[in-house]
Amino acid sequence: MSNSLSKNALSAIALTNEYCHAIETCAEGTREMLVARMLKLLPRIYIAISDVDIQGGYDDYCIEPALDEVAYDQVRDTIAAIMADDDVYLEVFVDDMKYSDTPISAFVSENLADLYQEFYNLVQSVKDAPEEYRTSLVEQCKENFVEYWGQTLCNVLRALNSVFYNMNDDY
């Protein structure tokens, strides 16, 4: 395994770190600022993680949970307050939707907090890991992306896009 991170892995780490900073400081701005920022960051994160090659050969080093429940709830609640009535949206990419006669609601705040938790854990793990394990951590993040959080990112991006273009008539 190479000791140096690829450009794609570096990009993924930098963008997830930028996302964490944006979420941590979102209370200082407006809903419009948060939505616009997420619409710029989320597609770039999607591309960066998609471009990470998985070499395999994982070490025993794993992405460790670093964000506690209190911090997660604080992030989610802050975003929910900022998003106000635009926090809830109808979700169509849920397995339960196939069997439901009623719409299934999802929350921008919960989706963004879930992504924050994933990215925060990655950034903290990479920061604390010896250099030779960092590539493995980014590859694990890519596997998590494929398994579950990639769909979360796409779903919330769709909702944020709708909010943005309903807020801004003069795009």
Side-chain angles (χ1 to χ4, degrees):
M1 175 191 328
S2 171
N3 285 346
S4 63
L5 290 166
S6 69
K7 288 181 184 178
N8 293 336
L10 285 171
S11 178
I13 293 167
L15 287 166
T16 56
N17 187 56
E18 186 178 343
Y19 176 91
C20 290
H21 178 71
I23 292 297
E24 290 161 358
T25 59
C26 72
E28 300 167 9
T30 64
R31 177 181 52 188
E32 291 78 9
M33 292 168 63
L34 174 63
V35 171
R37 187 76 184 120
M38 292 298 106
L39 287 174
K40 288 186 181 352
L41 269 173
L42 292 173
R44 293 168 55 212
I45 291 170
Y46 185 97
I47 291 167
I49 292 292
S50 295
D51 287 345
V52 168
D53 292 325
I54 297 181
Q55 304 297 320
Y58 285 91
D59 303 300
D60 291 335
Y61 224 80
C62 295
I63 296 174
E64 295 293 330
L67 188 72
D68 64 32
E69 189 174 344
V70 172
Y72 174 91
D73 289 342
Q74 184 178 13
V75 163
R76 187 194 63 221
D77 294 346
T78 298
I79 296 168
I82 293 168
M83 294 302 296
D85 292 340
D86 290 323
D87 189 36
V88 67
Y89 67 96
L90 297 180
E91 186 49 78
V92 294
F93 292 106
V94 178
D95 287 336
D96 294 344
M97 188 66 188
K98 294 184 248 184
Y99 311 107
S100 178
D101 292 335
T102 59
I104 296 176
S105 297
F107 298 89
V108 169
S109 57
E110 186 173 342
N111 290 165
L112 293 180
D114 288 349
L115 293 172
Y116 176 75
Q117 182 175 34
E118 182 73 27
F119 302 156
Y120 184 87
N121 291 344
L122 170 67
V123 169
Q124 293 305 310
S125 293
V126 166
K127 183 171 68 172
D128 295 338
E131 186 176 342
E132 63 268 18
Y133 296 112
R134 292 179 182 157
T135 296
S136 178
L137 293 170
V138 177
E139 290 175 2
Q140 289 172 42
C141 186
K142 164 100 183 238
E143 286 191 350
N144 292 343
F145 165 80
V146 171
E147 291 294 320
Y148 67 94
W149 70 260
Q151 188 64 57
T152 299
L153 186 150
C154 291
N155 295 350
V156 76
L157 187 60
R158 182 177 51 82
L160 290 168
N161 181 71
S162 177
V163 169
F164 183 80
Y165 287 105
N166 285 327
M167 287 187 314
N168 295 302
D169 294 330
D170 44 286
Y171 22 92

